[in-house]
């Protein structure tokens, strides 16, 4: 465990963990998160295309295109659909750029980070509907399933897995693989690690997930497989790449999915990082373990995908030419 990782865990234990023991204040959490966001520079040779829509103007029809693209100049031969974490009620593509920028450049993939609708204003299945629709739109726009990977962290990791299950059930061609960082896959909070790692996890107390889950579930059951994919039939899914920390309260949300997926014949790579915090790849600019995690993820993405030069040309042309009130191109010199 690196010094950087120890310092980050020390900071989380003193700043983030105490807040998870109190009542859930959605507005306060969102405001604090917005203040703390550190935005990395857009990588050289890449373009950031932001296409956000005001929440009060967004609906199910345009939600799949709300978010941001990181696109390599000239296009890349593969595509990643990224679903950010945040308990389904906070964070955004902007808060997760340390992951998305690092992953896209390492994997040589154009990456679309979806700004899916958040709870409690938009409870289940709004986020799932948006993720499924975003994937379908990528296919409709010319990306081939064999060149696509779905990725996500925490709630976004659970959402990525649920999206795979929903796509399979709908008969939609599945992506080449999926990346799940510390996924929240059991909104019923039944994993043994919820109790066993309570007090060891530097970020979350054990009972916070049972208090957050109703914000997203609304009237739905916590064991609905589209909300909690640990309860889903996982047969026929593409290869999974999963990471979680050994002291996470959500550790069993990863381990149980890995075990059930393998039992269903799915190829699974599951790494458990000793003493590493929840979604540690997000600390890539500062933590060597995080940089190695992104390196390993990129190798997985490249291995499972088939490069698609035709789709690369189709994707890059409209992204270079399109402009409008809700689209903004950022270059390294203009990014913050």
């Amino acid at each position: 465990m690196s010094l950087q990782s120890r310092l980050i865990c020390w900071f989380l234990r003193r700043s983030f963990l105490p807040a998870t023991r109190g009542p859930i204040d959605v507005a306060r959490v969102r405001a604090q998160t917005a203040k703390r966001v550190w935005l990395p520079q857009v990588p050289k040779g890449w373009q950031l295309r932001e296409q956000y829509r005001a929440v009060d103007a967004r609906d199910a029809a345009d939600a799949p295109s709300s978010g941001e693209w990181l696109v390599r100049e000239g296009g890349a031969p593969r595509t990643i659909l990224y679903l950010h974490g945040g308990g389904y009620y906070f964070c955004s593509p902007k808060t997760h750029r340390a992951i998305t920028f690092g992953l896209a450049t390492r994997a040589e993939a154009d990456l679309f980070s979806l700004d899916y609708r958040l709870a409690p204003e938009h409870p289940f299945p709004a986020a799932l509907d948006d993720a499924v629709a975003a994937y379908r739109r990528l296919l409709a726009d010319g990306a081939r399933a064999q060149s696509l990977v779905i990725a996500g962290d925490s709630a976004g990791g659970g959402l990525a897995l649920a999206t795979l299950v929903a796509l399979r059930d709908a008969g939609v061609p599945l992506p080449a693989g999926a990346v799940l960082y510390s996924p929240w896959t059991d909104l019923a909070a039944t994993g043994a690690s919820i109790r066993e790692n309570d007090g060891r996890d530097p970020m979350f107390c054990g009972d916070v997930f049972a208090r957050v889950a109703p914000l997203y579930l609304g009237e739905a059951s916590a064991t609905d497989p589209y909300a909690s994919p640990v309860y889903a039939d996982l047969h026929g899914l593409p290869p999974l790449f999963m990471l979680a920390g050994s002291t996470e309260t959500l550790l069993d949300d990863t381990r149980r999915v890995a075990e059930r997926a393998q039992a269903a014949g799915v190829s699974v790579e599951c790494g458990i990082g000793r003493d590493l915090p929840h979604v540690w790849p997000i600390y890539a600019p500062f933590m060597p373990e995080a940089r190695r995690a992104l390196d390993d993820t990129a190798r997985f993405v490249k291995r499972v995908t088939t490069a698609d030069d035709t789709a690369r040309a189709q994707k890059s042309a409209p992204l270079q030419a399109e402009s409008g009130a809700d689209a903004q191109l950022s270059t390294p010199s203009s990014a913050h």
Side-chain angles (χ1 to χ4, degrees):
M1 188 177 183
S2 68
L3 174 61
Q4 294 92 325
S5 180
R6 292 178 187 276
L7 289 172
I8 287 170
C9 287
W10 176 86
F11 175 78
L12 291 171
R13 192 174 295 279
R14 283 154 181 78
S15 65
F16 197 98
L17 177 62
T20 71
R21 297 192 177 108
I24 305 300
D25 186 332
V26 173
R28 181 171 176 270
V29 170
R30 289 176 180 173
Q32 288 185 333
T33 301
K35 289 179 182 178
R36 295 175 180 173
V37 171
W38 169 80
L39 299 180
Q41 292 287 319
V42 177
K44 184 178 180 180
W46 294 71
Q47 291 181 329
L48 177 66
R49 180 178 185 261
E50 299 178 84
Q51 46 190 49
Y52 292 98
R53 288 160 175 77
V55 173
D56 57 359
R58 195 186 316 164
D59 57 27
D62 67 6
S65 63
S66 183
E68 58 187 43
W69 275 99
L70 183 68
V71 182
R72 192 173 71 175
E73 292 178 1
R78 55 188 62 85
T79 303
I80 296 172
L81 170 61
Y82 197 86
L83 307 174
H84 68 81
Y88 291 106
Y89 73 98
F90 73 110
C91 287
S92 71
K94 291 182 179 179
T95 62
H96 283 63
R97 286 180 184 174
I99 290 180
T100 57
F101 286 16
L103 181 55
T105 54
R106 286 169 168 84
E108 299 178 64
D110 294 336
L111 186 148
F112 179 64
S113 189
L114 176 66
D115 188 32
Y116 58 85
R117 290 171 294 166
L118 298 176
E121 297 88 345
H122 303 282
F124 173 82
L128 178 62
D129 289 344
D130 292 353
V132 169
Y135 179 82
R136 286 178 176 270
R137 180 163 294 184
L138 291 175
L139 294 181
D141 287 346
R144 297 179 182 175
Q146 309 96 298
S147 68
L148 269 165
V149 165
I150 295 180
D153 66 274
S154 195
L159 179 58
L161 184 59
T163 301
L164 289 179
V165 174
L167 291 170
R168 181 205 60 198
D169 292 351
V172 178
L174 294 177
V179 173
L180 314 176
Y181 295 141
S182 302
W184 187 22
T185 63
D186 182 9
L187 273 68
T190 63
S193 60
I194 292 285
R195 301 178 303 278
E196 294 170 355
N197 280 343
D198 191 14
R200 300 179 66 213
D201 188 327
M203 196 166 179
F204 295 112
C205 64
D207 67 0
V208 68
F209 303 102
R211 289 185 280 115
V212 170
L215 296 177
Y216 177 57
L217 288 171
E219 299 300 318
S221 168
T223 58
D224 186 314
Y226 290 143
S228 296
V230 72
Y231 300 105
D233 175 0
L234 302 178
H235 81 275
L237 298 189
L240 304 178
F241 181 90
M242 308 180 71
L243 294 178
S246 65
T247 59
E248 288 197 55
T249 48
L250 284 183
L251 174 59
D252 277 353
D253 283 42
T254 291
R255 291 195 298 203
R256 287 184 293 162
V257 165
E259 292 168 358
R260 295 181 183 188
Q262 288 175 327
V266 178
S267 173
V268 178
E269 295 181 41
C270 183
I272 307 299
R274 182 176 179 181
D275 298 330
L276 293 176
H278 183 66
V279 192
W280 77 83
I282 203 168
Y283 304 107
F286 318 107
M287 184 194 293
E289 294 94 337
R291 294 192 292 272
R292 288 195 292 269
L294 291 180
D295 290 340
D296 292 342
T297 307
R299 282 190 286 270
F300 167 82
V301 171
K302 289 180 178 180
R303 185 172 68 252
V304 299
T305 55
T306 300
D308 188 353
D309 291 332
T310 300
R312 173 174 61 184
Q314 292 173 339
K315 287 185 296 180
S316 64
L319 287 168
Q320 297 277 354
E322 188 176 317
S323 62
D326 63 345
Q328 175 185 349
L329 282 174
S330 298
T331 62
S333 60
S334 63
H336 298 288

